[in-house]
Amino acid sequence: MRRTTLLSVVLLGAGWAMQAGALAATPRTVLIGLAAPMSGASGSTGTSLEHAAQLAVDDINHGKPVIGGEPVLFKLLPQDDRADPRTGELVARYFVKSGVAAVVGHWNSGVGIPASRIYAAAGIPHVAPAVTAPDYTRQGYATAFRIVPHDGDGARHTAQYVLHDLKARSIAVIDDRTVFGATYAEEFARAVTRLQGRLAGRYSVSSKTSDFNSILRSIRASDPDVVLFAGLDAQAAQLAQDLRRLQIRARLVGIGGLVGPTFLRLAGPAGEETSVVEPGLPSYKGPQWSHFESAWKARYQDDIYLYAPFAYDAVRVIAAAMREVDSVDPAKVTAALHRIRYRGISGPIAFDAEGNLRDPVFTLYQVQQGRWRVIRSMSDKN
């Protein structure tokens, strides 16, 4: 009886030891928030950001990461910010309460700027795959990073293209009254003035309107060579059709976010010769890109949206910073991001003191025969 009892105790002790070992090997969950508009006019773009971020998380987990001496499992926490500033703030507070280690987001500048204040107060690093308004990093928050160039650089390259390549003598500028559109229009107008170009007029419309008639009557009277529209793809497509309908000969030039299927589908033949300067390389190469491309096609059976690689790289650079400091502590990760040098699928990634992408590259696209065609790449080095 005593031998049986002793054997039971030994077996029970062994069972506890095995259970303790299993618990010790259970990975610690590291939450990464993903905020983007997954409904409404920009829903397809937001969904593509989520898809890319999830691929990045899966790739990291496949490598069985160990941080701080223990196995970790990365998990994406996606949220729809509806391209709405108030909803974006609610999403940011939800991320803080959920204990996310970092955030990838947002898409809209008007959403990302107010949300960044909440992340900064909580000390949570966040890497934006699309927020381009200069004020995003000018606020001075150490936790704010962007993996795309800002509008000041993009607007400058666009102005140079319009004046030097298109040889525009006069330019009409329309913005959609969002933070993104109004900021880009202002930066573009300043660049045109510095380059001694002439502005034929400055106009604003609601981001929700499809009525350009009164503005276009004024534009037709001034007969500009180029119309710069600082707004999103669906509205830009409506403007392209109205320019054609009113027989206004001016070339349409858009801003970042236009390149994709939505503009082509909605604008139809009226979109021909529309040009836009977008962030990033015209094409990606190397084994990292090949892996991403094949994984995307296999899982989603869809074209890769223009900004998807930036969301993928945003997750990967956050994980790289965690590995560098061997910690998921937000303060340590933030410090690591400020000094990191990382090679992503979108190119080299490093941040300046404000959190802006160093040495940004842009690509000029134009609609030709119903498709977006690469014209050339642009940077301060060429």
Side-chain angles (χ1 to χ4, degrees):
M1 184 74 175
R2 291 180 61 192
R3 291 185 61 188
T4 303
T5 303
L6 179 60
L7 180 60
S8 298
V9 170
V10 170
L11 291 174
L12 182 60
W16 282 341
M18 292 175 63
Q19 186 176 24
L23 289 172
T26 301
R28 173 186 176 186
T29 299
V30 177
L31 280 179
I32 304 294
L34 183 283
M38 298 172 195
S39 58
S42 300
S44 57
T45 297
T47 300
S48 75
L49 299 181
E50 180 189 359
H51 287 171
Q54 186 60 58
L55 287 179
V57 166
D58 292 346
D59 286 345
I60 294 166
N61 287 336
H62 183 72
K64 300 188 182 306
V66 174
I67 297 176
E70 62 178 327
V72 297
L73 181 72
F74 283 80
K75 182 178 179 181
L76 193 68
L77 183 60
Q79 291 293 302
D80 180 6
D81 65 24
R82 303 179 186 176
D84 174 67
R86 176 59 181 154
T87 304
E89 290 178 326
L90 294 174
V91 167
R93 292 191 181 96
Y94 171 71
F95 283 156
V96 172
K97 291 178 181 177
S98 300
V100 299
V103 172
V104 174
H106 295 242
W107 161 258
N108 306 83
S109 294
V111 180
I113 290 173
S116 69
R117 298 165 192 151
I118 296 170
Y119 301 136
I124 297 173
H126 45 110
V127 180
V131 173
T132 55
D135 283 349
Y136 174 68
T137 49
R138 285 177 183 166
Q139 298 174 105
Y141 298 137
T143 50
F145 302 87
R146 71 170 112 231
I147 209 163
V148 289
H150 63 69
D151 290 334
D153 288 334
R156 177 165 46 83
H157 284 292
T158 302
Q160 290 169 346
Y161 163 70
V162 167
L163 293 172
H164 298 160
D165 291 54
L166 298 183
K167 302 189 184 306
R169 295 164 298 175
S170 65
I171 306 146
V173 179
I174 308 172
D175 71 71
D176 66 355
R177 293 183 189 157
T178 64
V179 172
F180 172 50
T183 300
Y184 199 104
E186 182 62 30
E187 295 284 345
F188 174 81
R190 286 177 187 160
V192 168
T193 301
R194 284 195 300 269
L195 294 169
Q196 299 182 330
R198 187 172 77 85
L199 296 172
R202 288 285 309 275
Y203 308 91
S204 294
V205 296
S206 165
S207 61
K208 303 189 186 320
T209 190
S210 59
D211 182 7
F212 290 94
N213 287 320
S214 62
I215 286 176
L216 291 182
R217 281 194 292 269
S218 177
I219 286 176
R220 183 165 59 182
S222 64
D223 192 28
D225 301 301
V226 166
V227 172
L228 184 283
F229 179 62
L232 298 181
D233 47 9
Q235 201 173 22
Q238 180 63 53
L239 176 58
Q241 290 192 344
D242 289 346
L243 287 168
R244 177 71 65 89
R245 176 175 56 83
L246 295 173
Q247 298 182 335
I248 296 173
R249 296 173 297 176
R251 291 275 294 273
L252 178 62
V253 175
I255 64 175
L258 238 64
V259 172
T262 301
F263 178 84
L264 297 177
R265 176 172 52 83
L266 296 178
E272 282 294 304
E273 296 190 334
T274 296
S275 304
V276 59
V277 173
E278 294 274 12
L281 296 165
S283 61
Y284 304 116
K285 299 176 181 178
Q288 275 195 94
W289 171 257
S290 297
H291 167 75
F292 172 75
E293 184 178 38
S294 61
W296 179 284
K297 297 287 187 181
R299 181 175 300 187
Y300 304 122
Q301 292 88 45
D302 191 12
D303 291 334
I304 298 173
Y305 279 62
L306 186 72
Y307 283 81
F310 297 110
Y312 181 89
D313 276 348
V315 175
R316 296 300 299 259
V317 77
I318 288 168
M322 291 175 176
R323 286 195 297 268
E324 184 173 299
V325 294
D326 200 26
S327 173
V328 297
D329 176 75
K332 293 180 180 179
V333 175
T334 296
L337 285 169
H338 276 286
R339 60 177 181 265
I340 201 163
R341 299 291 185 272
Y342 180 77
R343 183 77 189 186
I345 61 172
S346 63
I349 297 168
F351 303 104
D352 65 16
E354 289 188 335
N356 296 310
L357 181 70
R358 292 182 184 272
D359 302 322
V361 177
F362 296 83
T363 299
L364 172 65
Y365 295 85
Q366 188 178 89
V367 180
Q368 296 178 0
Q369 297 181 332
R371 297 182 61 187
W372 288 108
R373 306 283 185 180
V374 172
I375 305 302
R376 69 171 186 275
S377 62
M378 299 173 163
S379 73
D380 289 338
K381 297 179 180 178
N382 60 19

